[in-house]
Amino acid sequence: NAGVTQTPKFQVLKTGQSMTLQCAQDMNHEYMSWYRQDPGMGLRLIHYSVGAGITDQGEVPNGYNVSRSTTEDFPLRLLSAAPSQTSVYFCASRRGGGLRHGEQYFGPGTRLTVT
Amino acid sequence: GENVEQHPSTLSVQEGDSAVIKCTYSDSASNYFPWYKQELGKGPQLIIDIRSNVGEKKDQRIAVTLNKTAKHFSLHITETQPEDSAVYFCAASITGNQFYFGTGTSLTVIP
């Protein structure tokens, strides 16, 4: 199993550009999520999904869109990048949502810089 | 939403000593508390977790304690080793769908 994979590893965007961060998992996990990590602020949840076709907002959803058309993939879209979106982005997955399924597996991250 | 505070932000210990990291949470409805270790350039990895119906949990050199009344929980690492050097994050969740993380503790174990 590759686990949780993210592409690209690094990306530089200009303000106003759009892009999609890719996330895939091969563990047949129902729950997937996106976080951003900024210095001194820990990880903050952007969006999450408890299954294909179901998405919900996390703590900091503004400026980001998600969709979940398959169990395996959970892409994160930046429609119009802003310098405030410069961050390291992590995708994670769990066997399921709710409290029954403990461990969340994180991908290696995407470092995004918006100039 | 939930607010999780974590202290200290940095911690240095001698190899073999113990390390303690503390977190407090604001929402008494939180009932799942995982701890993650993040090594440089990698994603966080779960090292231990505890649910609100348990006061303490151990796994070899790592233990977590939970005080629901005071709304705080702590990570204890005994007999620290250089490979324990990393950033540690606590988190809290009410439903198991949304997780709120602390700001992290950078632990350095000095050989």
Side-chain angles (χ1 to χ4, degrees), chain B residues 3 6 12 15 17 30 50 63 72 76-77 83 86 89 109-110:
Chain B
N3 182 45
Q6 182 171 346
S12 291
E15 182 177 357
D17 286 351
S30 288
I50 192 168
H72 68 69
H76 305 252
I77 306 174
E83 51 265 37
F89 291 96
V109 179
I110 304 165

Side-chain angles (χ1 to χ4, degrees), chain A residues 18-100:
Chain A
S18 63
M19 80 158 297
T20 299
L21 306 186
Q22 301 292 345
C23 175
Q25 52 88 13
D26 61 359
M27 297 174 282
N28 201 32
H29 284 175
E30 292 293 327
Y31 177 97
M32 296 184 74
S33 57
W34 276 102
Y35 292 86
R36 60 178 290 173
Q37 183 174 31
D38 302 295
M41 299 191 72
L43 289 93
R44 291 181 293 168
L45 182 65
I46 304 171
H47 287 285
Y48 68 95
S49 168
V50 297
I54 306 168
T55 63
D56 208 344
Q57 295 182 351
E59 192 179 354
V60 288
N62 292 342
Y64 307 95
N65 282 350
V66 293
S67 60
R68 185 94 181 271
S69 56
T70 67
T71 300
E72 296 78 18
D73 301 298
F74 191 42
L76 179 72
R77 298 183 185 84
L78 285 71
L79 297 180
S80 179
S84 60
Q85 294 178 304
T86 294
S87 188
V88 180
Y89 290 84
F90 288 99
C91 179
S93 73
R94 294 168 77 203
R95 191 152 48 95
L99 294 169
R100 294 185 292 119

Side-chain angles (χ1 to χ4, degrees), chain A residues 31 35 37 40-43 45 48 50 57-59 90 94 97-104 106-108, chain B residues 2 31-32 36 38 41-46 49 51 89 93-104:
Chain A
Y31 177 97
Y35 292 86
Q37 183 174 31
M41 299 191 72
L43 289 93
L45 182 65
Y48 68 95
V50 297
Q57 295 182 351
E59 192 179 354
F90 288 99
R94 294 168 77 203
L99 294 169
R100 294 185 292 119
H101 309 291
E103 182 163 5
Q104 194 160 206
F106 283 84
Chain B
E2 171 69 282
N31 50 24
Y32 175 61
Y36 292 87
Q38 185 177 28
K42 296 184 178 181
Q45 183 174 12
L46 181 75
D49 57 10
R51 298 179 189 272
F89 291 96
S93 183
I94 300 171
T95 64
N97 288 333
Q98 295 211 42
F99 290 82
Y100 297 88
F101 281 74
T103 50

Side-chain angles (χ1 to χ4, degrees), chain B residues 26-80:
Chain B
S26 61
D27 195 328
S28 57
S30 288
N31 50 24
Y32 175 61
F33 307 92
W35 284 89
Y36 292 87
K37 176 183 180 182
Q38 185 177 28
E39 297 177 340
L40 196 61
K42 296 184 178 181
Q45 183 174 12
L46 181 75
I47 54 172
I48 196 166
D49 57 10
I50 192 168
R51 298 179 189 272
S52 60
N53 59 347
V54 175
E56 183 176 0
K57 183 177 178 180
K58 286 184 179 180
D59 183 2
Q60 299 183 342
R61 297 186 295 109
I62 294 173
V64 57
T65 58
L66 172 65
N67 183 326
K68 286 190 297 182
T69 303
K71 290 189 285 187
H72 68 69
F73 55 114
S74 300
L75 178 71
H76 305 252
I77 306 174
T78 59
E79 301 172 16
T80 54

